[in-house]
Amino acid sequence: MSSPILEARDVYKTYQLGRVDVPVLKGCSMHVNHSEFLAILGSSGSGKSTLMHVLGGLDRTDSGRGDVLHKGSPITGLPERQLNRYRARTIGFVFQFYHLLPELTVLENAMLPGLVPGGIGRNNAKRRARSLLEQFGLSHRLDHRPRELSGGERQRTAIARALVNGPEVLLADEPTGNLDEHTGAEILDLLTEAHRNGLTIVMVTHDRKIADRADRAIRLVDGVLANESP
């Protein structure tokens, strides 16, 4: 059997609030299979978003306390330049609050990951961003600013941005959490279609009904894996 595309092994993550240490992940181990749609379930404060950030290289584990592996190779101790490339080309990120830049157009926002070191470059990014936005029904919005969009249109723009470099894995943190039920269902349909086309997806959610859209769900409780369900 091939190794998982992503794996966390006995991961610890502690944050400092002033002089106080706040442990969030407490020996968490899990894996993500190739072309899988995995949901990470948990209540607020359970550590699910922190786990996603660690898997995506946005945050590092506590020194010497656990490893994150991509296709069997650790990313935990990578130099910053190599970690930047991992984030740019391997991982796409989608967040609850979109994080679109208000001064840029929809097309410019979707192009951004292609412009960073390790990205696909300006010309390729523009072509791919335009193609994704048109695929997501936003061809009439390319020159609009985020403030002119609905919540669903903003999230579709954010998903296009996440996919512009052609990542292997999409990490989605509460992607429907800021949307009404109908619009949220449309976003989940879009993610499900991307998964059918071979994309590996890890989605963080607190909602069991949303997690049921995934192939598999794991639950975090107080920074550790509580159970797994098919």
Side-chain angles (χ1 to χ4, degrees):
M1 282 182 69
S2 61
S3 61
I5 191 168
L6 285 179
E7 187 175 4
R9 293 182 181 174
D10 201 26
V11 165
Y12 287 77
K13 180 62 186 176
T14 304
Y15 293 103
Q16 283 192 314
L17 293 178
R19 297 182 181 182
V20 179
D21 289 341
V22 181
V24 179
L25 298 178
K26 307 169 185 177
C28 182
S29 297
M30 51 80 70
H31 69 278
V32 185
N33 296 316
H34 289 260
S35 300
E36 182 176 36
F37 191 164
L38 175 70
I40 302 176
L41 269 164
S43 60
S44 178
S46 63
K48 59 188 187 299
S49 292
T50 298
L51 177 58
M52 194 192 79
H53 293 169
V54 168
L55 290 173
L58 289 177
D59 215 339
R60 294 183 185 267
T61 64
D62 291 350
S63 180
R65 307 197 71 190
D67 285 311
V68 174
L69 296 91
H70 169 240
K71 295 181 177 177
S73 298
I75 69 163
T76 312
L78 288 178
E80 199 61 35
R81 178 177 292 184
Q82 292 182 44
L83 195 61
N84 286 340
R85 181 171 179 81
Y86 168 78
R87 286 191 295 254
R89 297 306 298 268
T90 303
I91 305 295
F93 296 96
V94 178
F95 301 98
Q96 178 178 348
F97 295 105
Y98 325 125
H99 297 314
L100 301 175
L101 296 182
E103 68 273 18
L104 300 183
T105 66
V106 165
L107 180 59
E108 290 166 342
N109 267 287
M111 288 173 55
L112 278 178
L115 310 182
V116 303
I120 59 176
R122 176 175 292 276
N123 291 337
N124 288 332
K126 188 172 185 178
R127 282 195 295 269
R128 180 158 171 78
R130 184 182 294 274
S131 174
L132 286 164
L133 292 166
E134 290 174 351
Q135 178 184 333
F136 295 167
L138 293 171
S139 57
H140 62 302
R141 294 294 206 187
L142 299 183
D143 296 324
H144 288 229
R145 299 294 193 276
R147 66 178 179 273
E148 301 173 287
L149 307 182
S150 68
E153 288 171 333
R154 293 182 193 186
Q155 194 61 292
R156 278 182 275 162
T157 301
I159 294 171
R161 179 185 60 192
L163 298 179
V164 77
N165 278 334
E168 298 175 25
V169 182
L170 181 71
L171 300 181
D173 191 352
E174 299 278 9
T176 65
N178 206 35
L179 303 172
D180 62 68
E181 185 174 354
H182 175 75
T183 306
E186 291 179 343
I187 294 300
L188 289 173
D189 288 343
L190 191 156
L191 294 177
T192 301
E193 182 63 25
H195 170 241
R196 287 197 192 101
N197 291 331
L199 183 66
T200 302
I201 299 177
V202 180
M203 179 178 64
V204 164
T205 181
H206 65 277
D207 189 330
R208 179 77 236 190
K209 287 170 59 179
I210 291 174
D212 285 343
R213 299 287 292 265
D215 299 329
R216 180 168 62 98
I218 61 175
R219 181 177 292 277
L220 285 181
V221 177
D222 196 24
V224 294
L225 186 65
N227 57 52
E228 238 179 87
S229 63

